[in-house]
Amino acid sequence: MAVSSSQKVIKTPTSKQQGLQTMALVERFMALFIVMEILQVSDAAVYKVGDSAGWTTLGKIDYKKWAATKNFQIGDTIIFEYYNKFHNVMRVTHGMYKSCNASSPIATFTTGNDSIHITTHGHHFFFCGVPGHCEAGQKVDINVLKVSAEAPTPSALASPIVQASNVPAPSPSNANSLIVLKGPFSMVSLAMAIVLLLCFL
């Protein structure tokens, strides 16, 4: 049968072609998923212990109060900056932390600019092992909760409401305590993933 020039021939894809197209689409989505998982690291934060004061005994820094204002998560990096001739950082057990016992730390850091990557939930105890420094308050408990503070648990929602007048205002010294890699960087990650996906199309 002859086809006139005014008629168009519409070809329907064969089942083999449809299968190949479906497989290609699945591969693209898998690639996008893998890229998004890799870029998820961008949700991590970097915290400098003690903010601008750093890791020191000078100025009576309240490291317990400092840590209480943070929402530590797996993937975060904790930075200890200090003068290494007078301080160090020891990672210790809870018992050692409570008693300031520096006899057998889990790890000792001495560079003066130590970065510790958080990889597990729970408490991570650190103090300065120089005699007298832990007792003077140079110790910090980095507590990584299993549930993010951004998504309250049902029990947290049921807890009593605290009156706003009883909540202390954030101090200006806490304003620069963290280099946030969330927010715009998450959008950049998403944009990169979309660009990569379009490259596969």
Side-chain angles (χ1 to χ4, degrees), residues 11 20 65 73 79 84-86 89 128 135 148 160 182:
K11 290 186 177 181
L20 289 174
K65 188 175 185 180
Q73 297 180 25
I79 297 176
N84 66 354
K85 299 255 187 243
F86 298 109
V89 177
C128 180
E135 292 83 356
S148 170
K182 299 179 183 182

Side-chain angles (χ1 to χ4, degrees), residues 93-176:
T93 65
H94 183 240
M96 295 171 70
Y97 177 83
K98 284 174 45 176
S99 64
C100 291
N101 176 358
S103 63
S104 55
I106 296 168
T108 302
F109 305 91
T110 59
T111 68
N113 190 14
D114 304 313
S115 294
I116 298 167
H117 188 72
I118 301 298
T119 59
T120 60
H121 292 107
H123 293 271
H124 304 272
F125 300 102
F126 301 94
F127 62 57
C128 180
V130 173
H133 288 199
C134 176
E135 292 83 356
Q138 194 176 3
K139 61 184 192 175
V140 66
D141 173 7
I142 305 296
N143 187 12
V144 181
L145 302 175
K146 288 191 179 188
V147 178
S148 170
E150 295 171 15
T153 62
S155 62
L157 293 173
S159 63
I161 298 172
V162 177
Q163 295 296 326
S165 61
N166 296 337
V167 178
S171 67
S173 66
N174 289 337
N176 296 324

Side-chain angles (χ1 to χ4, degrees), residues 27-114:
E27 287 175 354
R28 288 182 189 122
F29 279 115
M30 288 300 292
L32 174 63
F33 177 76
I34 290 169
V35 168
M36 289 178 73
E37 282 299 310
I38 290 169
L39 296 177
Q40 186 177 6
V41 173
S42 67
D43 285 342
V46 177
Y47 294 95
K48 179 182 172 189
V49 176
D51 299 326
S52 59
W55 187 238
T56 183
T57 52
L58 301 175
K60 297 289 185 187
I61 309 299
D62 187 343
Y63 293 107
K64 182 177 181 177
K65 188 175 185 180
W66 174 86
T69 65
K70 310 298 182 258
N71 179 26
F72 299 111
Q73 297 180 25
I74 289 178
D76 289 349
T77 300
I78 311 301
I79 297 176
F80 290 87
E81 287 185 4
Y82 55 94
Y83 188 55
N84 66 354
K85 299 255 187 243
F86 298 109
H87 304 285
N88 62 29
V89 177
M90 291 185 168
R91 184 169 186 174
V92 295
T93 65
H94 183 240
M96 295 171 70
Y97 177 83
K98 284 174 45 176
S99 64
C100 291
N101 176 358
S103 63
S104 55
I106 296 168
T108 302
F109 305 91
T110 59
T111 68
N113 190 14
D114 304 313

